[in-house]
Amino acid sequence: MERLQAFKFALNPNGEQQRAMRRFAGACRFVFNQALEVQKQRHEGGERKLGYAELCRLLTTWRNGAATPWLKEAPTHPLQQALKDLERAYTNFFAKRAAFPRFKKKGRHDSFRYPDPKQIKLDQAHGRVFLPKLGWLRYRDSRTVPGEVRNVTVSQSAGRWYVAIQTARDVAPPVPSGGAVGIDMGIVRFATLSDGQALEPLHSFKRHEDRLRRAQQAMSRKKKFGKNWHKAKARVQRIHARIGNARRDYLHKATTTICNNHAMVSVEDLKVKNMSASATGDRAEPGRNVRAKSGLNKAILDQGWYEFRRQLAYKLAWRGGILVAVSPRDTSRTCPGCGHVSADNRPTQAVFACVACGHSRHADLVGAINILRAGHARCAYEVSDAARSPAVGTRRSGSNRLDR
């Protein structure tokens, strides 16, 4: 089977290459915004939207026009990829998978992509990559890049440039190993496994919160868009980057360990967006305990539950395992001994004591055990459903239904 995988490295460009990359990212941003403006005007005028081929013809006009001759300095393929990104954004919008496309802003998610592997050269022996109109760029070679190069994306984050190299390679069909485990997510305990293991939270944002607040206060005192303001802004961005990098590193290590040791992982289908919604309310109906809810929201978002589940999904798929998402309803109120469901079973946040049979354990461990049982029940239902409807079952297994 074929596996697509991306490897991201920090670039070490010289001054000329950095200026060129900023120009290329700006050109891609300009093309995206121009095409989006054209599409909006056509939509407001009642005309159909232009397809990718028609947008490419417009791009040729812009490159040859007297108003934007600088577009010729940028490579053609990354500009075309910006149009493909817009086409994909429109498709997701009409399919109700995303909001309406928005104009790109300078300094936010600056990137450009080279889709043609024939134009890319990767020299792993010397830690460098060749890209059109940029030449050879050195990167921080921290691991081997296996497989054939498919495309390369160059991006900027917190003042540093990165290269993401996507490759494709043939791997043997995965054979799952290990048993099944249920995972209860929390704040005091980041994750509690049904086998008794517990992962302590990293609290990446909380560790840097004071430093970030001081940097933001210093930035607010600078004249906006001045030289000192840009320096202060760069300092804030570096702190945010450090917070995100530490969180991702922690999540990758945790998910890799879990996926290496288990063939089935059952998790709660948490709606993080709803759980972290603001409690402020409005003037007619003001909220209650707004400060406490704000602190809870901050703690929830600091954990990275969605990213944790996303990493579990693709890493288990690579190893032949499955991720099962179950409803979180009553998972912490159900007794694993007698099955009695009551809010009184959990007198405190950490203690579970069944009022019917007296069964007592840590509340997070009880939740993990119930999540595992719910995962087994859902798998059994999927198998029986597929047996009753062979055609429907085949279609569901092909869509990897359990991963949703």
Side-chain angles (χ1 to χ4, degrees), residues 184-390:
D184 180 77
M185 308 302 299
I187 296 174
V188 178
R189 284 183 173 186
F190 171 71
T192 303
L193 280 61
S194 57
D195 58 8
Q197 299 182 54
L199 301 179
E200 295 301 320
L202 180 63
H203 293 313
S204 178
F205 179 82
K206 188 176 181 179
R207 290 184 177 185
H208 298 84
E209 188 173 7
D210 291 340
R211 184 183 174 194
L212 178 62
R213 183 179 63 253
R214 290 193 297 269
Q216 290 174 332
Q217 289 173 347
M219 177 180 168
S220 67
R221 292 191 292 266
K222 304 294 188 294
K223 183 179 179 180
K224 198 168 184 179
F225 303 120
K227 185 176 292 186
N228 290 332
W229 180 86
H230 281 291
K231 291 180 182 178
K233 181 182 178 182
R235 190 177 301 113
V236 172
Q237 290 176 335
R238 286 195 296 269
I239 297 174
H240 276 297
R242 181 181 292 272
I243 294 170
N245 290 339
R247 183 185 295 120
R248 280 188 293 271
D249 178 72
Y250 177 80
L251 294 177
H252 272 296
K253 290 176 179 177
T255 53
T256 298
T257 301
I258 293 173
C259 295
N260 285 339
N261 299 323
H262 301 92
M264 188 192 88
V265 177
S266 182
V267 297
E268 293 176 295
D269 189 12
L270 298 175
K271 307 299 182 184
V272 180
K273 183 178 180 180
N274 297 339
M275 295 173 65
S276 59
S278 174
T280 304
D282 52 25
R283 184 173 296 179
E285 297 182 4
R288 298 179 180 178
N289 300 324
V290 177
R291 184 181 294 273
K293 185 61 168 66
S294 176
L296 177 62
N297 294 348
K298 191 185 300 183
I300 290 174
L301 297 175
D302 194 14
Q303 305 307 311
W305 291 342
Y306 177 83
E307 179 65 12
F308 180 78
R309 177 175 167 180
R310 187 191 71 86
Q311 291 183 15
L312 282 176
Y314 79 79
K315 290 181 182 181
L316 283 168
W318 282 354
R319 292 162 176 80
I322 57 172
L323 178 69
V324 184
V326 301
S327 172
R329 183 176 181 179
D330 292 332
T331 54
S332 62
R333 299 179 177 182
T334 303
C335 177
C338 65
H340 179 69
V341 182
S342 174
D344 298 332
N345 287 347
R346 194 168 182 177
T348 66
Q349 183 67 25
V351 176
F352 180 93
C354 181
V355 296
C357 68
H359 183 86
S360 179
R361 279 189 184 182
H362 194 284
D364 293 341
L365 178 57
V366 169
I369 294 173
N370 289 328
I371 291 168
L372 176 60
R373 291 180 177 178
H376 281 305
R378 181 178 175 184
C379 285
Y381 171 78
E382 295 283 348
V383 172
S384 62
D385 189 27
R388 288 194 301 268
S389 305

